[in-house]
C-alpha cells in the first residue's frame, strides 16, 4: 500500500553556497526538486511509503542524479525514460535561486525550455494496477504541474478520476501561476474545478481560489492579519457550497520582515471547525519551500490521523523547518523534532 503519491515534473535547483546573488557567486549546491516531490518529503522522511509519477530524459546525467537523489530522500518513482531528441530536445528544468540576505530579497530564475515533464500522459502508467492492486491512501495534486501543459492537465484529470473511483483521498494545492494560465483560462478553470470537486483537502490563498476556481474573494479593505483571516473564512464558506466533498481547507499566513525573518502563521478548516496557528517570528535561511513544507506536514498529520489542531501545528512546524534548510524541503528526523519546533525548544540534543 502506498501512503502518498503525486504526479510531477522533476528538475534540479542550484543555489549559491554563500548566500550571494546568482551571477556573483561561483560555488553552487545542486538538488533534485519539484513543488510536488517537496510535499512528499516530510512523509518520506518519517517512514511513509511515497512515490512520484514523473518522466526522465534517457541517458541524461541529470536524470541519473535525480533518480539517485529521490532514492536518498526515500521517495519512490515511476515513469518513462524519454529520448532527448538531440541537444535541442527534452531536458529537466533548472531552477536557479539565491536566498537573499537582510534587505536584499531572494531572486529565482526558472529555465523550463524543453521540460520533459510536460510530455507526461496517462498512457505511461498502469493506473489500474496502481490504484486497484497496489492501493493508494492519498493522491496529491499541485496546480503548478496540472497547468504545465494540456497533457499534464489531462493526466491529472485521469488520476483524479481513478482516485475517486478507488476511494483514495485527494489533496489539491491550487498554486495558481499566471504565466502558465495565459491564453488557457477556460481549459484550466474547468480542469481545476473537476479536480477540486473530488478533493478531500484544498489548499490555497485568496488569489488561488479566485483565479483558479472562480470563487468570489474578499471584499476590499482591511490590512491586519485578523482582517485577512476573516476574509479567508468568508471565502471558504463560499467554496464549501461549491465543493461539498472537501473536508479540509488550509492556507499559510506569511509576512516578510526581511529575507531572514518572517512572521509565520496558518489557518485550517476541518469538519465545521476553524483552527488557527497564530503568527510567530521565524528565522529564515532560505524561504523557498516553506509553503510545500507546510502542505507536507499537513498531509502527514492527516495520514497519521492527528486531531485537526495537531495536524495544523505539525504543518506550521514543518513549514518553519523547511526554511531553515539549504534544500527547499523539510527533512525531519522524527516527529519529536517537529514538535520541538512547535514548542520553541531549540536546546541542543545530545
Amino acid at each position: 500500500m502506498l501512503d502518498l503519491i503525486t504526479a510531477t515534473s522533476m528538475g534540479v535547483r542550484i543555489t549559491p553556497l554563500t548566500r550571494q546573488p546568482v551571477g556573483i557567486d561561483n560555488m553552487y549546491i545542486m538538488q533534485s526538486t519539484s513543488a510536488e516531490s517537496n510535499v512528499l518529503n516530510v512523509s518520506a522522511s518519517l517512514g511513509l511509503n511515497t512515490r512520484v509519477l514523473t518522466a526522465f530524459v534517457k541517458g541524461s546525467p541529470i536524470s541519473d542524479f535525480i533518480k539517485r537523489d529521490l532514492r536518498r530522500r526515500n521517495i519512490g518513482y515511476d515513469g518513462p525514460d524519454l529520448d532527448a531528441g538531440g541537444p535541442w530536445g527534452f531536458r529537466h528544468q533548472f531552477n536557479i535561486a539565491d536566498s537573499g540576505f537582510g534587505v536584499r530579497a531572494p531572486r529565482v530564475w526558472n529555465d523550463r525550455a524543453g521540460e520533459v515533464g510536460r510530455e507526461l500522459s496517462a498512457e505511461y502508467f498502469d493506473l489500474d494496477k496502481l490504484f486497484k492492486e497496489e492501493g493508494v491512501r492519498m493522491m496529491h495534486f499541485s496546480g503548478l504541474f496540472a497547468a504545465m501543459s494540456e497533457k499534464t492537465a489531462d493526466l491529472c484529470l485521469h488520476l483524479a478520476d481513478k482516485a475517486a473511483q478507488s476511494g483514495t483521498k485527494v489533496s489539491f494545492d491550487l498554486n495558481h501561476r499566471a504565466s502558465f494560465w495565459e491564453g488557457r483560462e477556460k481549459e484550466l478553470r474547468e480542469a481545476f474545478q473537476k479536480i477540486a470537486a473530488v478533493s478531500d483537502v484544498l489548499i490555497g490563498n485568496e488569489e488561488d481560489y479566485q483565479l483558479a476556481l472562480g470563487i468570489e474573494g474578499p471584499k476590499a479593505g482591511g490590512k491586519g492579519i485578523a482582517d485577512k483571516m476573516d476574509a479567508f473564512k468568508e471565502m471558504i464558506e463560499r467554496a464549501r457550497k461549491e465543493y461539498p466533498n472537501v473536508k479540509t481547507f488550509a492556507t499559510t499566513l506569511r509576512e516578510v520582515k526581511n529575507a531572514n525573518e518572517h512572521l509565520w502563521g496558518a489557518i485550517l478548516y476541518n469538519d465545521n471547525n476553524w483552527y488557527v496557528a497564530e503568527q510567530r517570528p521565524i528565522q529564515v535561511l532560505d524561504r523557498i519551500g516553506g509553503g510545500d513544507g507546510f502542505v507536507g506536514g499537513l498531509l502527514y498529520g492527516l495520514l497519521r490521523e492527528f486531531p485537526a489542531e495537531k495536524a495544523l501545528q505539525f504543518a506550521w512546524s514543518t513549514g518553519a523547518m523547511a526554511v531553515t534548510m539549504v534544500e527547499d524541503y523539510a527533512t525531519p528526523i522524527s516527529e519529536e523534532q517537529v514538535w520541538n519546533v512547535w514548542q520553541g525548544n531549540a536546546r541542543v540534543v545530545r
Side-chain angles (χ1 to χ4, degrees):
M1 173 71 75
L2 289 157
D3 294 299
L4 181 61
I5 69 171
T6 193
T8 188
S9 177
M10 294 299 304
V12 293
R13 178 189 176 193
I14 59 173
T15 309
L17 280 173
T18 60
R19 297 190 71 108
Q20 294 305 295
V22 171
I24 293 178
D25 207 339
N26 58 10
M27 296 182 65
Y28 294 79
I29 185 171
M30 186 167 77
Q31 63 175 89
S32 65
T33 190
S34 73
E36 300 80 22
S37 64
N38 292 351
V39 168
L40 266 57
N41 210 76
V42 173
S43 289
S45 298
L46 295 176
L48 296 190
N49 194 5
T50 66
R51 183 183 298 172
V52 294
L53 308 181
T54 191
F56 301 97
V57 178
K58 187 175 182 179
S60 163
I62 300 300
S63 281
D64 293 339
F65 172 83
I66 291 170
K67 290 176 180 179
R68 287 196 302 271
D69 208 34
L70 287 171
R71 290 194 291 269
R72 175 186 68 87
R73 295 164 61 184
N74 198 35
I75 297 174
Y77 55 83
D78 184 24
D81 290 272
L82 302 179
D83 287 328
W88 292 275
F90 295 139
R91 63 184 184 185
H92 291 277
Q93 63 147 314
F94 267 75
N95 176 281
I96 308 166
D98 64 60
S99 304
F101 192 85
V103 296
R104 174 170 56 81
R107 185 183 180 193
V108 178
W109 180 263
N110 283 309
D111 182 355
R112 309 192 78 133
E115 186 168 354
V116 68
R118 299 180 75 246
E119 297 299 309
L120 274 174
S121 64
E123 68 182 274
Y124 292 117
F125 305 98
D126 188 340
L127 299 185
D128 286 333
K129 178 183 177 182
L130 178 65
F131 286 99
K132 294 180 180 180
E133 296 181 25
E134 294 186 80
V136 180
R137 294 178 64 200
M138 182 178 287
M139 172 93 216
H140 176 66
F141 295 100
S142 164
L144 295 176
F145 179 75
M148 280 185 62
S149 69
E150 290 184 14
K151 290 182 178 180
T152 61
D154 187 61
L155 171 60
C156 288
L157 289 172
H158 271 83
L159 288 167
D161 184 55
K162 289 291 186 181
Q165 292 176 23
S166 65
T168 297
K169 293 188 180 300
V170 173
S171 161
F172 190 17
D173 186 353
L174 295 170
N175 257 335
H176 180 273
R177 184 70 60 83
S179 58
F180 287 17
W181 280 62
E182 188 174 352
R184 302 172 59 210
E185 289 81 1
K186 184 177 184 296
E187 164 210 344
L188 290 176
R189 173 71 63 80
E190 291 176 356
F192 275 51
Q193 289 174 335
K194 288 178 181 177
I195 298 171
V198 298
S199 294
D200 300 272
V201 183
L202 205 53
I203 303 153
N205 59 29
E206 296 95 328
E207 287 190 354
D208 289 332
Y209 281 92
Q210 293 175 78
L211 298 175
L213 297 180
I215 302 294
E216 181 185 348
K219 298 291 188 285
K223 297 181 180 179
I225 200 64
D227 293 327
K228 291 182 180 179
M229 286 188 182
D230 290 341
F232 184 80
K233 289 178 180 179
E234 292 172 4
M235 185 178 63
I236 293 307
E237 292 299 330
R238 291 188 282 273
R240 286 179 57 207
K241 295 177 182 178
E242 293 289 331
Y243 302 101
N245 192 68
V246 179
K247 303 298 187 296
T248 303
F249 296 85
T251 193
T252 58
L253 299 166
R254 185 202 303 253
E255 291 185 42
V256 177
K257 297 299 182 182
N258 58 65
N260 309 108
E261 183 178 10
H262 297 174
L263 293 178
W264 181 246
I267 55 178
L268 175 77
Y269 171 90
N270 181 266
D271 284 340
N272 298 314
N273 291 298
W274 287 98
Y275 304 91
V276 178
E278 299 288 351
Q279 281 190 318
R280 286 191 264 164
I282 60 171
Q283 287 69 50
V284 178
L285 178 66
D286 187 319
R287 69 161 285 162
I288 297 173
D292 295 332
F294 172 86
V295 177
L298 176 63
L299 300 188
Y300 178 83
L302 295 175
L303 287 165
R304 287 296 197 194
E305 299 183 345
F306 291 176
E309 184 176 29
K310 291 295 184 182
L312 175 64
Q313 293 169 355
F314 199 88
W316 182 96
S317 303
T318 51
M321 178 181 290
V323 301
T324 69
M325 298 181 172
V326 174
E327 296 171 322
D328 54 2
Y329 43 79
T331 307
I333 61 172
S334 65
E335 289 185 10
E336 179 185 15
Q337 184 187 45
V338 177
W339 289 122
N340 280 338
V341 172
W342 173 254
Q343 294 159 6
N345 177 14
R347 293 189 297 273
V348 65
V349 178
R350 299 186 187 277

